[in-house]
């Protein structure tokens, strides 16, 4: 993300990242690709999360240094996007304090202002004992 798109916090603000719901589903390894016995495939997505905690969009990331390649079979990308589209989060928020930022855990004396954010996730599609498995990293 370009630096001019980054959130800037004032001295009386803190930020809380979104928290994924425990029930968020992991993508399913495309069954029709199992017979090909492919090496592990890594797909990375930039996931846009709205101020309401719902996923608004996801786009593949092509980052060779991170091991992410858009050149993967498009069925892996679609499986990752389909799962991410169903995800829900406790929204990210900016905590704005009326005065100086206190030394407290959470946003007890401030006002929570939900904000939209985007996060990168990696999905490693692999086979174990002839069955598809997917690991998700944030």
């Amino acid at each position: 993300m370009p630096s001019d798109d980054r959130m800037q916090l004032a001295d009386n603000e803190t930020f809380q990242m979104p928290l994924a719901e425990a029930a968020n589903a992991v993508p399913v390894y495309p069954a029709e690709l199992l017979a090909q016995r492919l090496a592990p495939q890594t797909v990375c997505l930039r996931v846009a999360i709205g101020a309401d905690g719902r996923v608004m969009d996801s786009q593949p990331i092509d980052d060779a240094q991170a091991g992410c390649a858009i050149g993967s079979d498009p069925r892996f990308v679609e499986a990752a996007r389909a799962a991410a589209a169903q995800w829900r989060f406790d929204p990210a928020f900016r905590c704005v304090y009326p005065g100086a930022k206190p030394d407290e855990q959470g946003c007890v004396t401030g006002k929570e202002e939900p904000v939209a954010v985007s996060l990168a996730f990696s999905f490693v599609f692999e086979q174990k004992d002839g069955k598809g498995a997917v690991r998700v990293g944030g």
Side-chain angles (χ1 to χ4, degrees):
M1 183 185 297
S3 61
D4 56 17
D5 288 351
R6 294 184 185 264
M7 179 184 303
Q8 299 294 318
L9 295 175
D11 290 342
N12 68 327
E13 297 177 331
T14 59
F15 177 76
Q16 175 66 48
M17 293 290 286
L19 298 173
E21 291 186 359
N24 284 348
V26 172
V28 175
Y29 193 107
E32 65 274 15
L33 295 175
L34 285 171
Q36 294 183 27
R37 299 182 186 198
L38 299 168
Q41 305 286 309
T42 301
V43 172
C44 296
L45 297 179
R46 178 152 317 275
V47 178
I49 303 165
D52 62 357
R54 294 180 181 270
V55 171
M56 300 182 304
D57 189 28
S58 66
Q59 293 298 320
I61 301 170
D62 193 2
D63 183 352
Q65 290 181 342
C68 305
I70 293 178
S72 298
D73 187 297
R75 290 172 282 191
F76 290 122
V77 175
E78 286 309 310
R81 291 188 76 200
Q86 306 296 320
W87 289 354
R88 298 293 178 262
F89 294 81
D90 286 339
F93 63 87
R94 180 189 306 242
C95 183
V96 181
Y97 298 97
K101 181 171 50 176
D103 184 23
E104 68 182 17
Q105 294 285 21
C107 188
V108 177
T109 61
K111 179 184 175 200
E112 290 184 14
E113 295 180 358
V115 295
V117 297
S118 65
L119 300 175
F121 291 89
S122 64
F123 304 83
V124 179
F125 291 82
E126 56 194 346
Q127 293 186 30
K128 294 181 180 179
D129 300 323
K131 296 180 182 175
V134 183
R135 290 183 284 126
V136 179

